[in-house]
Amino acid sequence: VNMSSMDLEKLKMTGAGRAIAVLTSGGDAQGMNAAVRAVTRMGIYVGAKVYLIHEGYQGLVDGGDNIKLAHWHSVTNIIQLGGTVIGSARCKTFTTREGRLAAAFNLVKKGVTNLCVCGGDGSLTGANIFRSEWSGLLAELVQKGRITDTLAKQHDHLNIVGLVGSIDNDFCGTDMTIGADSALHRIMEIIDAIMTTAQSHQRTFVLEVMGRHCGYLALVSALASGADWLFIPETPPQEGWEDLMCSRLEGGSRLNIIIVAEGAIDINGKPISSNYIKDLVVKRLGYDTRVTVLGHVQRGGTPSAFDRILVSLGVEAVIALLEASPETPACVIGLSGNHPVRLPLMECVEMTKLVQTAMNEKKFDEAVKLRGGSFENNLNIYKLLAYQKPAPSESNFSLAILNVGAPAAGMNAAVRSAVRLALAHGHKVYAVNDGFQGLANGEISAINWHDVAGWTGQGGSLLGTKRIGRVHEEYSFTGASALHHGGFHYIYTGDFQGYEGVLQLFEARCHYDELCIPMCVIPATISNNVPGTDFSLGADTAVNAAMEVICDKIKQSASGTKRRVFVVETMGGFCGYLATSTGIAVGADAAYIFEDPINIHDLTTNVEHLAEKMKKDIQRGLVLRNEKCHENYTTDFIYNLYSSEGKGIFDCRVNVLGHLQQGGVPSPFDRNFGTKLGVKAVQWISEKLTETFRQGRVFANSSDTACVLGLNRKVTSFTPVTELKDVTDFEHRMPKVQWWFNLRPMLKMLAKYQTSFCEYVPGEIEHVTKRSISIDCGF
């Protein structure tokens, strides 16, 4: 197989005659079903037999009906289900050699020599032991006469690939584990509900979340909710923390949120319980305090869009199994930024064990670093925001913040963190209402610490935002005048217009010295079409909105109505990110986008495919269409074509999602991402202000003083707006090359279309070291 690209025929030649088994083990996690579906369908697609092992390792040991041959429809309509439909169980028998001997016998009987295990580090370690003992187990089976020597030689080695399913996100080497994002969704839903009642009654709430050994869920939910205090096992509070916490909670706030990981300890290793914290607050401060233990609700519910899109890991797992040889070490498929990678399994396991060793030895700083750069960065930013207070206005600098273009979830989180950090640095901070138009009209007012309280979970744009024409022509002069009189330096959160506007302001510097100030763009748009970043604020929330509110419910409606196809129109301008991502998340039959041109032949082929599908078990179809995918093949045209060609076989319905995708509360990703980008933007502007302050004024005219703050692969970076011109399609308002386009072959394959994998780039082996896990990722 060519490692630079994939070819369908080569894949089918490799997969023909192979047998793959998949099991889920340990605790369940939302998204496991999406992974099982992807492994099953990819395996069948390349010509392999795929077996589903029910009840985890216990089913593998017991054999019989627990190991079932799968067909394409065995995994239909499971992508939106939580838990694991093939079951999971903790199996003590498999930890013994006798148990593994039985498991080996059951696999050999089915001709299986490729095993995909979805579980935690314990389950994956067990799989590696199984693999290392395989030849010895087969020799013992031959000796006992249970299999023939010929059969043993035909199955002489076992290939293992792991997928990490864990809501705790506690596995070193991968940025995210299957289920963690969905668990954060459950936590934030509860926190949002609690905040309303807490503000009504002026209460303090202590929330206990899962995490016996890892504080990831507690940390990210605290950062995303703006919690007042946090307890996690990796950073136990110092002696006297009770006094410090109570002094910080004093001040008459109507709402105090304290988040506790279930494994929280103090510096001496003594557990800190949620009830102890409650009693402390009541005794010291007399506040009405309640405890909420979230428990297993965090494991429940439907998986988030992110966890469903992680089906890419299941596809990669099958490819890794097909490419494996006896010399290939067991690997686990992880996530590096937005790309699947293959990680040596035992390197990950050993690094994960080092975290607990460091904590047992009370080397807590080392434990935090071993958790990875993202964990450490989240912790540092939480401390920066939670433990800061507004400083006296001693700075010479004034910062202004405005939102540009259409509203997007996460904007308010970015504004909140930017305002508070700027005030903590002693800057004067001003809010501009209604974007560039408000700037030109002088709609500028001071904004204070408490003005942004509670903004993190608010959707839309509380500052207001408006679309305008070209900034240079309409607003450069009046904007420059406003800047001159106010002495402002700017942070913009906004869509493609925000990027284009700052580019035009930068190019107008030669006419207006007032524009020679640092300017930073935080990408915020549901379309995810801003150059210089892989992700924009609001895109994750929009995909979840399209998935949860419409597409899942449409599928439910379709399942109750025989033979029906739904055509759903998404937003996104010319950018097909929303349609593609939502299509993967809901298991759509097709997603039409501008970047992947369609013709009438493609449409008729899809109609024929759906008609054939309707004649079998599955009698519903779902087709997504980006709003500008084609000038002539409109949503109505596609509806009419499908209705006409499907007449007598299926009927058709249309749904236009419209501005629903811009609404709703921000997802945990967008809250967290916005909070971090707001902090990084202020830190960058403060640095540039210091560098360019000369003779009583700021004069910043170099290209690196007008930048887009973006997330690229797994690193946040500042890219000058001028450098992005060559990689930008200004006519269609999007980058010329978009990383997510490589997901489209996977979308088509999972819908059972014949497709080329020439655009799919397989994951590469990445070794897991202390240095590799220290790289910061955006989430």
Side-chain angles (χ1 to χ4, degrees):
V1 178
N2 183 350
M3 287 302 293
S4 63
S5 63
M6 303 301 295
D7 180 85
L8 182 59
E9 292 308 314
K10 288 182 180 178
L11 273 177
K12 288 192 172 181
M13 288 173 62
T14 307
R18 303 281 286 273
I20 298 170
V22 57
L23 65 84
T24 52
S25 176
D28 64 310
Q30 307 99 318
M32 278 185 167
N33 287 324
V36 169
R37 172 180 177 269
V39 172
T40 302
R41 291 197 166 178
M42 183 63 182
I44 294 172
Y45 200 69
V46 298
K49 289 183 178 179
V50 179
Y51 290 89
L52 301 178
I53 301 174
H54 292 254
E55 309 307 333
Y57 283 122
Q58 189 64 56
L60 184 58
V61 171
D62 294 342
D65 290 339
N66 291 303
I67 305 177
K68 297 178 181 179
L69 182 66
H71 53 80
W72 191 266
H73 297 305
S74 298
V75 291
T76 293
N77 211 30
I78 69 170
I79 194 172
Q80 75 274 15
L81 302 179
T84 165
V85 296
I86 60 175
S88 180
R90 303 190 185 278
C91 178
K92 291 185 178 179
T93 309
F94 189 76
T95 63
T96 67
R97 184 173 175 83
E98 291 74 16
R100 294 191 291 274
L101 188 68
F105 176 70
N106 290 327
L107 286 183
V108 170
K109 279 200 306 183
K110 300 291 187 181
V112 174
T113 55
N114 300 279
L115 182 63
C116 179
V117 177
C118 183
D121 59 340
S123 300
L124 299 178
T125 301
N128 190 65
I129 294 171
F130 190 39
R131 177 183 182 273
S132 65
E133 293 180 349
W134 182 258
S135 59
L137 293 171
L138 263 57
E140 187 172 341
L141 288 172
V142 171
Q143 184 182 10
K144 292 182 176 181
R146 300 186 67 186
I147 63 173
T148 65
D149 187 57
T150 301
L151 197 60
K153 288 178 180 178
Q154 290 174 347
H155 304 83
D156 59 348
H157 70 275
L158 178 69
N159 299 319
I160 294 287
V161 168
L163 297 172
V164 191
S166 168
I167 68 168
D168 292 325
N169 199 30
D170 58 352
F171 194 77
C172 289
T174 182
D175 292 340
M176 287 291 285
T177 58
I178 296 170
D181 186 67
S182 299
L184 287 171
H185 275 255
R186 299 295 89 75
I187 294 170
M188 295 313 303
E189 288 167 8
I190 294 167
I191 290 177
D192 287 346
I194 281 175
M195 279 185 167
T196 58
T197 184
Q199 288 174 327
S200 299
H201 295 276
Q202 196 166 343
R203 280 177 176 161
T204 295
F205 270 87
V206 181
L207 279 79
E208 182 181 304
V209 303
M210 281 186 165
R212 281 179 297 171
H213 305 293
C214 179
Y216 176 83
L217 291 179
L219 171 58
V220 175
S221 56
L223 187 61
S225 64
D228 299 276
W229 202 265
L230 169 70
F231 295 91
I232 58 175
E234 291 87 350
T235 58
Q238 300 295 320
E239 297 282 1
W241 63 267
E242 293 93 341
D243 296 333
L244 184 58
M245 184 188 75
C246 289
S247 67
R248 290 191 184 279
L249 294 181
E250 283 184 307
S253 172
R254 292 192 64 83
L255 167 65
N256 289 311
I257 296 287
I258 301 169
I259 296 182
V260 189
E262 60 180 330
I265 55 174
D266 64 18
I267 197 66
N268 299 312
K270 181 182 176 182
I272 298 176
S273 71
S274 51
N275 283 318
Y276 176 78
I277 297 168
K278 172 206 166 184
D279 294 341
L280 177 69
V281 173
V282 171
K283 181 179 179 181
R284 296 277 190 94
L285 303 176
Y287 291 172
D288 185 5
T289 306
R290 299 286 191 273
V291 170
T292 300
V293 179
L294 274 63
H296 280 71
V297 70
Q298 295 157 91
R299 291 191 186 277
T302 61
S304 67
F306 181 87
D307 277 325
R308 300 190 197 190
I309 294 170
L310 282 184
V311 297
S312 61
L313 302 187
V315 171
E316 183 65 32
V318 172
I319 296 173
L321 284 171
L322 296 182
E323 293 181 352
S325 68
E327 293 74 34
T328 305
C331 75
V332 61
I333 309 301
L335 194 68
S336 177
N338 46 8
H339 295 273
V341 293
R342 303 178 192 182
L343 308 165
L345 172 57
M346 293 317 296
E347 286 185 13
C348 297
V349 171
E350 291 305 317
M351 193 66 68
T352 302
K353 289 179 179 178
L354 285 178
V355 181
Q356 192 59 49
T357 300
M359 291 172 63
N360 292 341
E361 296 174 355
K362 298 185 179 179
K363 298 177 180 177
F364 297 109
D365 289 341
E366 182 178 345
V368 169
K369 291 185 179 300
L370 288 169
R371 284 283 181 223
S374 179
F375 187 95
E376 184 177 15
N377 188 46
N378 281 333
L379 181 60
N380 290 338
I381 290 179
Y382 173 76
K383 289 179 178 178
L384 191 64
L385 293 173
Y387 304 153
Q388 289 273 15
K389 289 189 179 296
S393 187
E394 299 173 349
S395 165
N396 294 317
F397 307 124
S398 297
L399 269 66
I401 303 174
L402 67 156
N403 295 337
V404 179
M411 278 182 166
N412 297 321
V415 171
R416 171 189 172 272
S417 63
V419 167
R420 290 201 165 177
L421 186 60
L423 290 172
H425 284 182
H427 302 318
K428 299 180 183 72
V429 185
Y430 295 84
V432 180
N433 295 314
D434 297 335
F436 283 127
Q437 182 175 319
L439 172 63
N441 295 338
E443 297 177 26
I444 305 171
S445 58
I447 189 167
N448 299 311
W449 189 274
H450 294 293
D451 292 336
V452 293
W455 278 30
T456 304
Q458 297 290 314
S461 166
L462 294 175
L463 292 184
T465 180
K466 288 186 178 179
R467 293 184 180 275
I468 61 168
R470 286 181 58 81
V471 177
H472 179 70
E473 295 170 354
E474 298 184 32
Y475 294 103
S476 282
F477 177 77
T478 49
S481 176
L483 295 173
H484 174 71
H485 292 295
F488 300 129
H489 316 98
Y490 273 83
I491 298 172
Y492 302 85
T493 66
D495 57 9
F496 189 91
Q497 187 179 81
Y499 158 70
E500 195 172 25
V502 170
L503 175 62
Q504 292 160 6
L505 292 175
F506 173 83
E507 292 174 342
R509 281 178 172 178
C510 58
H511 302 292
Y512 307 103
D513 281 354
E514 294 84 357
L515 295 177
C516 293
I517 57 172
M519 292 180 279
C520 179
V521 182
I522 295 177
T525 167
I526 68 169
S527 302
N528 198 32
N529 63 335
V530 179
T533 185
D534 290 340
F535 292 101
S536 298
L537 288 177
D540 183 70
T541 303
V543 173
N544 276 284
M547 177 197 76
E548 295 173 1
V549 181
I550 298 296
C551 292
D552 278 357
K553 292 183 179 179
I554 284 174
K555 288 174 71 176
Q556 289 177 7
S557 169
S559 66
T561 306
K562 298 300 183 183
R563 299 194 177 103
R564 175 165 290 176
V565 174
F566 284 86
V567 178
V568 180
E569 181 184 300
T570 69
M571 295 179 77
F574 288 99
C575 180
Y577 174 81
L578 271 180
T580 299
S581 298
T582 305
I584 295 172
V586 300
D589 294 281
Y592 302 134
I593 65 171
F594 173 79
E595 297 92 335
D596 192 1
I598 58 172
N599 54 40
I600 193 65
H601 173 72
D602 297 323
L603 293 175
T604 53
T605 299
N606 289 349
V607 172
E608 292 168 1
H609 171 81
L610 286 167
E612 188 65 26
K613 176 182 176 181
M614 296 295 169
K615 296 174 183 177
K616 298 179 181 177
D617 297 338
I618 306 305
Q619 299 182 341
R620 58 121 184 102
L622 183 62
V623 175
L624 303 186
R625 178 190 176 274
N626 167 254
E627 60 183 342
K628 293 187 177 181
C629 75
H630 198 282
E631 182 180 5
N632 297 314
Y633 300 147
T634 63
T635 300
D636 286 339
F637 177 91
I638 294 174
Y639 163 73
N640 289 328
L641 175 67
Y642 275 48
S643 296
S644 177
E645 295 298 316
K647 194 169 185 179
I649 303 172
F650 60 81
D651 62 2
C652 197
R653 295 290 186 274
V654 170
N655 289 83
V656 178
L657 300 188
H659 285 76
L660 172 141
Q661 295 157 97
Q662 289 182 344
V665 298
S667 67
F669 178 92
D670 281 328
R671 300 185 199 206
N672 191 355
F673 194 32
T675 298
K676 293 167 75 170
L677 292 186
V679 166
K680 289 180 180 292
V682 169
Q683 291 172 333
W684 179 84
I685 281 191
S686 297
E687 180 182 321
K688 293 299 178 185
L689 290 173
T690 303
E691 290 176 0
T692 58
F693 186 71
R694 299 288 186 274
Q695 299 178 346
R697 64 156 295 184
V698 171
F699 187 80
N701 64 347
S702 60
S703 62
D704 66 348
T705 57
C707 291
V708 171
L709 169 55
L711 175 65
N712 296 287
R713 183 67 182 259
K714 61 188 295 182
V715 178
T716 48
S717 58
F718 294 86
T719 308
V721 291
T722 52
E723 289 184 11
L724 295 172
K725 289 178 68 175
D726 291 340
V727 298
T728 301
D729 177 353
F730 286 94
E731 179 184 356
H732 299 106
R733 300 169 64 86
M734 62 185 181
K736 292 178 180 177
V737 178
Q738 301 179 90
W739 66 269
W740 53 263
F741 192 78
N742 289 339
L743 297 175
R744 292 199 49 87
M746 180 182 68
L747 183 153
K748 295 176 182 179
M749 180 279 296
L750 292 172
K752 209 175 183 180
Y753 283 96
Q754 291 298 315
T755 184
S756 170
F757 270 69
C758 60
E759 299 297 328
Y760 182 87
V761 180
E764 298 180 354
I765 285 286
E766 290 192 5
H767 290 283
V768 183
T769 64
K770 289 184 180 181
R771 183 179 182 279
S772 72
I773 64 175
S774 67
I775 299 174
D776 175 41
C777 74
F779 193 78

